[in-house]
Amino acid sequence: MSDRVPVGVLVSGRGSNLDALCAAAAAPDFPARIAAVVSNRRGAGALEIAGRWGVTAAVMPVSEYGHDDAARDRAMRDRLLGAGVRLVVCAGYNRILTDEFLAAFPDAILNVHPSLLPAFGGGMHAVEDALEHGVKLTGCTVQLLEPGLPDGGAIVLQRAVPCLDEDDAESLRERIHVEEWIAVPEAVRLWCEGRIRREGRVLRIDPPRGVAGGRLSQAESCP
Ligand code: GRF
């Protein structure tokens, strides 16, 4: 597919979601290509994964920008725009992006979170919190990032994972990851095929049209 949407991926950790996305993008009919990876951590395993897939990766720790998140996010925005990126995926990115960054990619930043939002949003302990609350079902959510709403953006899709009596955080996290590896590429596909339609804060998924639109569909127009 020649008109594949250039995607930028932000990472901080081991990069298993990046791996899943790169694997999906290796299929000839996938409507996206990974144009850039940026990590805010030097030691992130995701960097090695990017290298394995032959994807350009940059390390942009905030310490190199005078510990100024706004300055780093501006540089990151410029790098992604310079690479032609149209869709950004936060795949285990552990910082809150500035509004200025979000404004550069309106309705075009996907984030994956390891819970069924709005449950257990707003932190880095969603898996532990689910166990502590004794919920019987948790999962993962892919959402659009919106200014002022960390973990509160419109939901693209969710996949459920049962909590088992014998689960600890590690075992539950692993099973949630397996669902994320399906959800993230699927959400990217939906976005790139223009099948995500916005109705206020609710996103509807249109059936396949066989046309790669690479943006939200017309009816989505944000209020
Ligand atoms: C995922 O569980 C994601 O939901 C959370 O961070 C984790 C990243 O995992 N935001 P990985 O680095 O993709 O393996």
Side-chain angles (χ1 to χ4, degrees), residues 13-18 91-93 111-114 173 177 180-181:
R14 87 169 164 162
S16 68
N17 281 292
L18 172 65
Y93 186 66
N111 181 52
V112 59
H113 184 79
R173 183 175 288 111
H177 260 112
E180 290 181 342
W181 301 335

Side-chain angles (χ1 to χ4, degrees), residues 10-20 45-46 49 90-94 111-115 123-124 126-127 139-141 151 173-174 176-177 180-181 184:
L10 306 187
V11 293
S12 305
R14 87 169 164 162
S16 68
N17 281 292
L18 172 65
D19 198 32
I49 285 171
C90 296
Y93 186 66
N94 67 3
N111 181 52
V112 59
H113 184 79
S115 75
M124 303 294 286
V127 178
C140 63
T141 302
D151 293 335
R173 183 175 288 111
E174 251 345 272
I176 292 173
H177 260 112
E180 290 181 342
W181 301 335
V184 171

Side-chain angles (χ1 to χ4, degrees), residues 119-135 138 169 172:
F120 311 124
M124 303 294 286
H125 306 284
V127 178
E128 288 80 359
D129 290 349
L131 283 175
E132 203 171 292
H133 277 76
V135 295
T138 183
L172 183 55

Side-chain angles (χ1 to χ4, degrees), residues 60 63 70 94 97 143 167 183 193 216:
M60 303 179 77
S63 56
N94 67 3
L97 294 161
Q143 59 173 172
D167 265 331
E193 291 179 348
L216 296 199

